[in-house]
Amino acid sequence: MTEGVGAAHLGRIVRLPELGPPWAVTAALAAVTAVGVPTGVALTGGSVSVAGAVSLAQALTVLVLLRRRWPVLTLLASVAVVAAYRSASLVEVGWMWPATALYASTVMAGRAGWAAGIGVTYLAYAANWEATVAGHNLESVASLVGSEALWLAFVLATATAYRNWRRWQDELAARIRQSAHEQELDARRRRAEERVRIARELHDVVSHTLAVVGIHLNVALDTLESAPREARDALRVAQDVRGKAMADLGGLVDVLREGTTAGIDSPVPQLDGLAVLVEQVRTAGLDVTLDEAGDRRAVPAPVALAAYRVVQEALTNTIRHANATCAAVSLRYESDEVTVTVTDNGDGPVGPTDGGGHGIAGMRARVTALGGSFVAGPGDHRGFAVRAIIPVAGRR
């Protein structure tokens, strides 16, 4: 689940913070309009009066409060209100900027075309009014209407850019959530597959044990009268095999009962095959040393298989990626745990070491499924080091 958790965390990082609840944003825009319209009229040389700028600000504030429900209609109403106040000479300045909040809200609501069309039409009306009613010359009309047009273009462009930015962030967050969901489903599928493999392992252990015990019981039965000592030896071997099988089965059943996956492949390549494995690696040109301490015969099958696979995968990665000349394999068999260490003198990791590849991820899954710890990374001096500590079930 590490991938899933990491993706979810990344989704929280890339997600832009919300400006606030919708009602809070609307209240803020209404407050800005109520204060900004009279202030803008005063700064641009107009007179501020109760019948003019103040009442215009109040009317636009009411429209801002209704913007979320009817974005286009409130914009049309605001344009009509501003035009009425200008035509009645109640306000001497401002065609576009008094309705800035409503133009931006219309764009944010996905009606950018409507906002642009209404703005251009209104600019044409403003130019005609300035020329015919106010009697300004062409240069004055171009200056007055041109500044309003620039402000409209700035508002529309800024609102469009911000909306596109938010849409991109939402899409990115959705993709990350989808990726996390897919990774979770993939992890569940892998766990289900591993449990099936463990079930096959149970079958192999049981069938192998029954076959061996059956052979020795037949020997004991055939030699019970003619060779009692041989019969006793056969029974003793059958008892030993039965005891070892019970330990192996106990370990496998514990893994299934805990709802984890051991990630084991076959009962054949266990710790007894380490010498053969090391010799095979040596034939590939890598100088490998094998150091074992303790009694490996007492190690249960799941732990033995996990230790063997860690050594196998670590040496395989060394041959493929490390460009090393020598490697050292160390195993310590203790009463409560098995410690596996594999080091080399190569170039170190080529890519990510924390679950970046299937090899390291597989080793980590095998070890952690048995309740152990796994570390893979650069060595103390150079090269790469793999270290796994696997507890012996029921003895720690």
Side-chain angles (χ1 to χ4, degrees):
M1 299 298 294
T2 304
E3 297 87 348
V5 174
H9 179 64
L10 180 59
R12 291 193 295 270
I13 292 176
V14 301
R15 176 73 176 176
L16 281 177
E18 296 290 343
L19 297 179
W23 64 267
V25 176
T26 300
L29 292 176
V32 170
T33 300
V35 176
V37 171
T39 303
V41 170
L43 293 176
T44 53
S47 60
V48 178
S49 64
V50 176
V54 175
S55 61
L56 174 61
Q58 293 173 346
L60 293 177
T61 299
V62 173
L63 292 174
V64 169
L65 294 175
L66 301 175
R67 69 184 181 89
R68 291 183 60 85
R69 189 173 182 84
W70 302 290
V72 176
L73 291 179
T74 52
L75 177 60
L76 287 171
S78 69
V79 169
V81 169
V82 175
Y85 273 75
R86 289 298 308 270
S87 300
S89 298
L90 295 175
V91 177
E92 299 87 359
V93 293
W95 289 99
M96 289 293 172
W97 59 260
T100 295
L102 292 158
Y103 275 106
S105 298
T106 304
V107 174
M108 292 300 298
R111 303 292 192 273
W114 279 96
I118 293 172
V120 171
T121 303
Y122 189 40
L123 283 174
Y125 170 82
N128 180 69
W129 192 91
E130 293 286 357
T132 57
V133 178
H136 293 120
N137 57 33
L138 183 61
E139 291 183 358
S140 298
V141 171
S143 175
L144 292 172
V145 177
S147 61
E148 298 283 351
L150 289 176
W151 178 254
L152 175 64
F154 170 76
V155 172
L156 296 181
T158 302
T160 301
Y162 181 76
R163 182 172 184 270
N164 292 337
W165 191 12
R166 289 305 297 256
R167 290 179 61 186
W168 176 78
Q169 293 289 338
D170 292 340
E171 182 178 355
L172 179 60
R175 289 181 179 180
I176 292 175
R177 288 193 297 269
Q178 179 64 24
S179 176
H181 179 65
E182 292 176 354
Q183 290 175 359
E184 181 179 359
L185 292 178
D186 184 63
R188 291 179 180 177
R189 178 185 59 80
R190 290 183 180 180
R191 287 197 296 270
E193 292 176 351
E194 289 295 326
R195 290 174 69 85
V196 172
R197 295 168 70 183
I198 295 174
R200 290 199 301 265
E201 190 69 31
L202 282 169
H203 172 269
D204 292 340
V205 171
V206 171
S207 60
H208 174 75
T209 302
L210 290 177
V212 173
V213 171
I215 292 174
H216 287 285
L217 289 178
N218 289 332
V219 171
L221 182 61
D222 293 339
T223 60
L224 183 59
E225 296 181 357
S226 59
R229 177 175 297 180
E230 184 176 349
R232 285 195 299 269
D233 293 340
L235 291 174
R236 187 177 297 108
V237 172
Q239 181 67 21
D240 292 341
V241 172
R242 177 260 181 197
K244 183 66 164 59
M246 290 300 296
D248 295 345
L249 290 174
L252 291 172
V253 171
D254 286 341
V255 173
L256 290 175
R257 184 180 295 116
E258 293 170 2
T260 58
T261 56
I264 53 183
D265 294 325
S266 171
V268 177
Q270 297 191 33
L271 296 175
D272 293 340
L274 284 176
V276 177
L277 174 64
V278 169
E279 189 60 31
Q280 291 175 350
V281 174
R282 286 173 181 161
T283 59
L286 182 66
D287 184 16
V288 185
T289 60
L290 175 61
D291 179 22
E292 295 180 274
D295 185 9
R296 67 186 181 192
R297 294 176 299 178
V299 179
V303 178
L305 285 167
Y308 180 92
R309 292 303 184 190
V310 168
V311 174
Q312 183 184 48
E313 190 61 38
L315 292 178
T316 301
N317 288 343
T318 298
I319 295 174
R320 290 180 178 177
H321 308 298
N323 193 26
T325 58
C326 63
V329 178
S330 172
L331 292 98
R332 295 293 179 266
Y333 311 115
E334 300 178 8
S335 60
D336 58 348
E337 66 184 19
V338 175
T339 303
V340 182
T341 306
V342 182
T343 59
D344 62 54
N345 65 343
D347 298 330
V350 178
T353 62
D354 189 13
H358 294 292
I360 292 178
M363 287 188 284
R364 179 176 285 107
R366 294 177 190 277
V367 174
T368 56
L370 293 172
S373 60
F374 179 88
V375 178
D380 294 335
H381 302 288
R382 60 170 300 187
F384 197 76
V386 171
R387 180 179 175 86
I389 300 177
I390 312 171
V392 176
R395 299 182 187 178
R396 167 162 287 188

